[in-house]
Amino acid sequence: MESFLLLAFIFLVAGVIAVPLASRFGLGSVLGYLLAGIAISPILAALNVDVISLQHFAEFGVVMMLFLVGLELEPRLLWEMRHRLLGLGGLQVALTAGLVMAAALAMGLPWSISLAIGLVVSLSSTAIVLQTLNERGLMKSDGGQASFSVLLFQDIAVIPMLALIPLLAMPELMESFNAADSAGHGDAHGSAHGDTHGDSHSEGHDDGHGPSGPAWIETIPGYLRALVTIAAIGFVVVAGSLLTRPVFRFVAMANLRELFTATALMMVIGIAVLMSLVGLSPALGTFLAGVVLANSEFRHELESDIDPFRGLLLGLFFMTVGAGINFGLLGAQIFTVLGLTLGLMLLKAAVLLGLALAFRIRGADKALFSLGLAQAGEFGFVLLSFTVANDVIPSAIADQLLLVVALSMLFTPGLFILYDKVIVPHMASVPTRAADDIDEAGPIIIAGFGRFGGIVNRILLAAGHKTVVLDHAFEQLEMLRAFDAQVFYGDATRPDLLHAAGIEEAKMLVVAIDDEHRITELTRYVSQNHPHVHIVARARNRHHVYELFAAGAGDIIRETFDSSLRAGRSALEALGVHPFEAERMVRGFERQDRKQLRELAGLYDPNVPAHENAPYVARAKEMRAEMDAEMRGSGNAFGNRFQRGWVPPSSKDVEAETAEAGDQEADTA
């Protein structure tokens, strides 16, 4: 008991220290966990901890992750993915395995070993890729969806691989390899391998991905095995559709949160056990269950209950990957292992890039797809154990491949950083097509036609004003043109396009693009070079207001401020405040906030973080206290200054309302 608590404490301390530091430096949580595992590796070795057994246990986090992914996918969406699932996933596995096999043959290895190595390293890391895509909000992107298609196919592909690998067994060949290895290196290497990984090879493969299956399933005829497999999948689908809701409704009657959590865990673990019993991937089974429950009313409850366990187990898994690196062997064969790792990642990236071009994955998504899946994955640990146990790959080669798999996973977060820091900014700055020829000029130019600019444009057009709209989101423009919207493709921050749109004669520029930095730069350029143009600029936040004010914007609109005021007024009314009083309070808040904004703009320093700017923080606190006093009526209450909650209707409004009421009465009569 004490040893378990000590082990749990060591892992928790390592994760709690390493992950926030890694996130602070923009490295991502996955790399933080991997580095934490490397840091505690000597401690685990001193305590004789079986890291591989821990890793097999922690891989259940991947099972839970696939269940949660399934909850996000309705069956209709899964069906729509079928072409990419089979095309991208199937071609990736086949091409990578074939090319790696060819390389291994060129290095003099027998064909059976070469094929097994190709199959092992063709599979990528579901745990790292899905976790990173979710963290960075890239799962819904085209590159993220393509990556998910490949990973899902790999989950399925493990099953035939486990069936194929025993057919490649050549015991005589293994004896000759092992004899040569013993003669060349003595026993030291072999014993080290045995201490670290050898036990796991013979302990079966009851992990989260692809168990080889219990003995009974392998002894029955092939047609019975197929029937059992179909029956198990059918049971998951039918039980998920018909039984899950009544069970959860029954459990919900107890009104105990922990019982609902236990039921969710019971369901996921039960499906994993069933899949293991019939020799299928538990991850695949739980994914199917998630898809079946995607439309369930318990979907969000299941997500919130399972997610903490998934996160903890995945964190533990990543740490065991870092701790499981055999640094002794790595030091002895550093150049060979690094060369094989980088060669594998380059080859997989090239294959993926070719598939991205063939399947028309564009822009930065192409790089995301190519780099994100360039590693080997946790499936490799499972299959390498299986190949050694079945006399397919010699232990010495398996040791090297284990290092290649682990290092490729360790390098993967670096590829995502490369994507974020280098590729995305570069792709964003390089237009994928030439700008349109702008053959119209107008008194009002709108830069950006998204949520913000689109509404502004509709209002101005409805009021009879002519506008020229520029945007560089090609896909969105294609959609807008289908609705006859007059929008020109082009980067509105380019002076030549502004000239073509008539900036010299324009009266107004509405800056409604998304990028905060580009909003400021465009505002500064126009205010300095075309001071006659009135600029209405979209501010992303309070600090952006200060920057735009300094850049020369005439009107600065915080994009969520007005909707927040309306939400605040509704909240006050829901709390029992009279609508008249709520309106007066919100109006007072708005005026006071705008006044404070102007004063704080003088204290704001763009070179100093706001929370480290002492005069700014001190004055902001004082203003907040003043605001609280005003709102609660203890000072010069807003109500005393704002006698009217809203502007009364004008005489024209009254006439229009009266005329409309008269028309309605006439229609009724």
Side-chain angles (χ1 to χ4, degrees), residues 224-297:
L224 277 180
R225 192 185 302 181
L227 288 176
V228 169
T229 301
I230 294 172
I233 294 176
F235 176 79
V236 170
V237 174
V238 173
S241 304
L242 302 179
L243 299 180
T244 306
R245 288 178 175 83
V247 168
F248 278 112
R249 288 191 185 116
F250 173 74
V251 172
M253 291 169 60
N255 202 24
L256 291 173
R257 177 68 185 269
E258 60 272 21
L259 194 59
F260 204 94
T261 303
T263 307
L265 287 174
M266 176 196 72
M267 184 182 70
V268 174
I269 294 173
I271 293 170
V273 170
L274 175 63
M275 293 293 109
S276 299
L277 285 175
V278 299
L280 293 177
S281 163
L284 177 63
T286 51
F287 172 76
L288 285 177
V291 172
V292 171
L293 293 172
N295 289 323
S296 166
E297 65 269 32

Side-chain angles (χ1 to χ4, degrees), residues 2 54 86 137 254 301 315 374 489 519 647 664:
E2 290 80 5
L54 270 178
L86 297 175
E301 186 71 18
Y489 176 82
I519 292 174
V647 177
Q664 291 178 350

Side-chain angles (χ1 to χ4, degrees), residues 63-145:
V63 174
M64 293 184 170
M65 176 187 287
L66 265 293
F67 177 71
L68 295 179
V69 170
L71 284 176
E72 298 289 334
L73 282 177
E74 299 176 13
R76 176 183 59 81
L77 295 177
L78 186 62
W79 177 251
E80 291 176 356
M81 291 171 56
R82 65 189 185 282
H83 296 300
R84 284 192 163 188
L85 190 70
L86 297 175
L88 277 177
L91 286 174
Q92 189 278 140
V93 171
L95 290 174
T96 303
L99 291 173
V100 171
M101 180 182 176
L105 286 171
M107 296 169 68
L109 292 176
W111 71 270
S112 58
I113 297 177
S114 302
L115 175 58
I117 293 174
L119 294 176
V120 168
V121 300
S122 67
L123 307 179
S124 305
S125 174
T126 304
I128 289 180
V129 177
L130 289 190
Q131 176 79 359
T132 308
L133 289 176
N134 281 322
E135 277 185 8
R136 296 170 187 263
L138 296 170
M139 195 63 197
K140 299 294 184 184
S141 67
D142 193 29
Q145 289 294 297

Side-chain angles (χ1 to χ4, degrees), residues 648-666:
S650 66
S651 57
K652 291 185 177 179
D653 293 334
V654 173
E655 292 174 4
E657 183 69 20
T658 304
E660 185 177 351
D663 293 341
Q664 291 178 350
E665 288 178 359

Side-chain angles (χ1 to χ4, degrees), residues 464-533:
H465 295 282
K466 183 179 181 182
T467 63
V468 178
V469 182
L470 302 174
D471 199 301
H472 70 291
F474 176 68
E475 293 81 3
Q476 183 169 330
L477 295 189
E478 290 295 303
M479 183 269 291
L480 292 170
R481 284 172 177 170
F483 293 94
D484 297 329
Q486 183 67 30
V487 185
F488 294 99
Y489 176 82
D491 185 355
T493 60
R494 286 173 48 185
D496 58 330
L497 288 183
L498 286 175
H499 170 74
I503 190 68
E504 285 82 3
E505 306 298 328
K507 296 179 180 176
M508 180 181 293
L509 170 69
V510 179
V511 186
I513 53 183
D514 289 329
D515 186 83
E516 185 175 321
H517 176 70
R518 294 173 70 233
I519 292 174
T520 307
E521 290 303 310
L522 177 57
T523 301
R524 181 176 291 112
Y525 171 79
V526 175
S527 66
Q528 292 176 352
N529 295 280
H530 307 283
H532 67 283
V533 177

